[in-house]
Amino acid sequence: MEQATTKLLLSEEKAKELFKAIEHKGLIISGKSEKQLCDEIVQIAKEDFGVENHWGKKIVRTGINTLQPYIANPPNLVIQDDDILFFDFHPIFEGWEADLGRTYVLGNDSLKQKIKKDVEAAWYEGNSWYFKQDKLTGADFFKYATDLARRYGYEFGNAIAGHIIGKFPHEQPDDPADLCLDVHPDNHNDILQFDKQGNKRHWILELHFVDRENNIGAFFEQLLTAR
């Protein structure tokens, strides 16, 4: 396996272990604010996993905030009984990025459980589809993701459906306004092309499904992988 792929998969596995540690410590509970849980995640990442750096915006979103896109800065909410919430965390392990998103449901609300299950199932469907493509623009991949959301009965909740990932900091476009490294409707470049050094690019698929009628959203994100 190519070295970069190996490093990225190792980073992702560590991020999954981090999320499991948070679950096992019983930290995802009602009565706690998003900020408090976010601070606890960062502390565990540093003390138990050696994570000194991470990137991204709001790590934890709960309740009505699960409808908000990545770019939004919704107010800090308190997790409620029977709530839905998701993590979007970007830790760096030994110089390699991870980008992991997971949804959690407190209680047994059937709609919340369903959207959580659906977004994960859809991600694996999208992962399989990606590796069957010989050519794929960012715009076409974004359209696939939004169509996927509709097929499952939801609205797609974000402005992008993924981006590249790599050794920190990952590759940046020459023009900061260029969307060539995002899964975005205005990216008409073939995202399967190699980078300027002739190296394979690695991509994250992030799915944000929104049910506006019931004011809930769910999120699932990780590295696209053929394994």
Side-chain angles (χ1 to χ4, degrees), residues 35-92:
K35 184 180 185 305
Q36 182 181 347
L37 181 52
C38 171
D39 291 344
E40 291 171 349
I41 291 170
V42 171
Q43 183 177 3
I44 291 171
K46 181 176 181 179
E47 294 180 355
D48 296 358
F49 292 84
V51 174
E52 296 290 340
N53 297 307
H54 61 90
W55 54 278
K57 290 166 67 76
K58 195 175 176 71
I59 295 173
V60 180
R61 296 186 188 231
T62 193
I64 195 74
N65 283 351
T66 61
L67 299 176
Q68 297 294 322
Y70 177 83
I71 196 171
N73 293 297
N76 184 43
L77 294 181
V78 173
I79 301 167
Q80 304 296 318
D81 293 337
D82 298 321
D83 220 339
I84 188 169
L85 65 151
F86 63 71
F87 295 172
D88 182 8
F89 194 35
H90 316 84
I92 300 160

Side-chain angles (χ1 to χ4, degrees), residues 1-2 4-6 8-9 12 16 99-100 122-133 136 141 144 148 161-165 183 191-192 200-207 220-227:
M1 187 181 292
E2 184 233 352
T5 303
T6 301
L8 288 169
L9 286 171
E12 183 169 278
K16 290 177 180 177
D99 193 358
L100 201 65
W123 189 95
Y124 283 101
E125 187 175 336
N127 182 77
S128 296
W129 181 86
Y130 170 84
F131 285 99
K132 295 174 183 175
Q133 310 309 305
L136 180 64
F141 201 13
Y144 172 84
L148 193 61
H163 52 81
I164 66 157
I165 193 169
V183 180
I191 65 173
L192 303 182
K200 174 185 175 182
R201 287 185 172 124
H202 296 81
W203 291 85
I204 290 287
L205 173 61
E206 53 181 276
L207 296 183
F220 194 93
E221 173 183 35
Q222 61 187 27
L223 177 70
L224 286 159
T225 175
R227 70 172 183 179

